[in-house]
Amino acid sequence: ASPDALVLWEAQFGDFANMAQPIIDQFIAADRAKWGQDSGLSLLLPHGYEGQGPEHSSARLERFLQLCAEGNLRIAYPSTSAQYFHVLRRQAKLPIKRPLVLMQPKSMLRLAAAASRLEDLANGRFMQVLDDPNVANRDEVTRLVFCTGKLYYDLVGGGHPAHLAVVRVEQLYPWPHEDVSRVVDLYPNIAEIVWAQEEPKNMGAWSYVAPRLRASAGNALIIRYIGRPERSSPAEGHANSHAGEQARIVSDVHAEPTVPRRFASR
């Protein structure tokens, strides 16, 4: 109705989109295929595991990724305030309108590490993939970890070992194949690539990411999953259980690769 406006629909928690799922499935995701109708609607769905229980953790990222095909949606998980600003700015300015689904947890509103300088907002653009800015020597990295959003700050909050690089995939769909491949090529001695996530293995981005990460990385490298095991519930219902699982995921990510070191010639 208003193609020149940036329209934002925000859920108090991402789970609250559940009641709107028929509208999302039948009208938002398939509007172009059914009626040739483009929409620039943006859905802001707080998503992140913060120990508040199943109803306040997951925006069902996996559902939105399952809806993606033929360039019908844009799905992103910005990890800094500048990235959040630039992805909304891009959404307003792009001539080809498609719905944008943003995942971001409430805790990052108050997270100092996710803050950006004024010049970062005034300049630059949305980056689909962010390389690890804390790696001193890429030749020492043997495990390359890809993740999204909030989990990045859990993984690097106390620093991380020299054999590790943690890369943020800021846009999940369309999959940034060239950007991911470019980052992989920066690390000549990696033995394996890890996809790390907070969500259970049967939820979150893993099922969607796995074949695409394999295509972007090539067949010479092992692709490994680290996260919660398959579960019937999106999240734990007890804060202590949540904290224990988060700590276990961080520990597993920081561990040395379990396969012999390779010197890949890519």
Side-chain angles (χ1 to χ4, degrees):
S2 184
D4 295 329
L6 177 62
V7 180
L8 311 177
W9 182 88
E10 184 174 19
Q12 183 179 3
F13 287 93
D15 313 66
F16 293 4
N18 288 344
M19 296 301 102
Q21 202 64 43
I23 303 298
I24 294 167
D25 291 353
Q26 298 178 37
F27 295 98
I28 296 177
D31 60 347
R32 177 186 284 176
K34 286 182 175 180
W35 307 290
Q37 173 70 55
D38 285 345
S39 168
L41 177 67
S42 297
L43 305 184
L44 311 182
L45 305 179
H47 172 89
Y49 284 55
E50 298 166 339
Q52 297 193 62
E55 289 76 35
H56 298 86
S57 299
S58 176
R60 292 294 188 176
L61 173 60
E62 64 277 3
R63 289 182 184 171
F64 288 98
L65 291 173
Q66 288 168 357
L67 288 172
C68 291
E70 303 176 296
N72 65 326
L73 297 172
R74 300 183 181 110
I75 298 181
Y77 194 157
S79 63
T80 71
S81 53
Q83 283 283 92
Y84 181 51
F85 170 76
H86 285 302
V87 75
L88 288 176
R89 181 177 181 271
R90 184 188 72 169
Q91 180 71 357
K93 291 178 66 68
L94 280 173
I96 299 176
K97 302 297 184 185
R98 297 309 304 140
L100 171 67
V101 182
L102 289 184
M103 306 273 156
Q104 59 272 321
K106 293 190 171 186
S107 64
M108 283 174 59
L109 291 170
R110 303 175 297 277
L111 186 64
S116 300
R117 298 172 301 174
L118 183 59
E119 51 264 40
D120 294 331
L121 285 93
N123 302 302
R125 59 182 177 85
F126 177 67
M127 304 294 291
Q128 299 179 122
V129 175
L130 295 177
D131 192 10
D132 192 332
N134 300 311
V135 172
N137 184 355
R138 290 193 175 107
D139 290 343
E140 294 183 6
V141 173
T142 55
R143 171 177 275 184
L144 184 60
V145 178
F146 288 89
C147 68
T148 56
K150 169 185 169 290
L151 184 60
Y152 169 79
Y153 296 103
D154 292 342
L155 297 178
V156 304
H160 60 67
H163 72 266
L164 198 71
V166 184
V167 177
R168 285 163 281 177
V169 179
E170 302 280 289
Q171 176 176 288
L172 287 162
Y173 189 87
W175 176 254
H177 170 72
E178 292 183 1
D179 291 345
V180 171
S181 296
R182 191 177 302 115
V183 169
V184 172
D185 287 338
L186 293 175
Y187 296 89
N189 297 326
I190 51 177
E192 65 180 14
I193 290 176
V194 166
W195 176 261
Q197 67 178 38
E198 300 180 297
E199 303 90 345
K201 191 174 184 179
N202 57 317
M203 305 177 197
W206 167 244
S207 297
Y208 164 85
V209 162
R212 291 163 177 82
L213 189 55
R214 162 62 61 208
S216 298
N219 294 319
L221 293 164
I222 292 174
I223 307 293
R224 190 183 303 279
Y225 167 86
I226 294 179
R228 284 170 168 78
E230 292 187 352
R231 294 247 172 94
S232 58
S233 175
E236 296 85 15
H238 193 278
N240 289 342
S241 298
H242 161 79
E245 275 291 76
Q246 291 292 105
R248 192 266 308 165
I249 291 170
V250 172
S251 177
D252 289 352
V253 168
H254 284 197
E256 290 273 1
T258 57
V259 295
R261 180 170 178 165
R262 295 182 184 178
F263 295 86
S265 56
R266 295 188 305 279

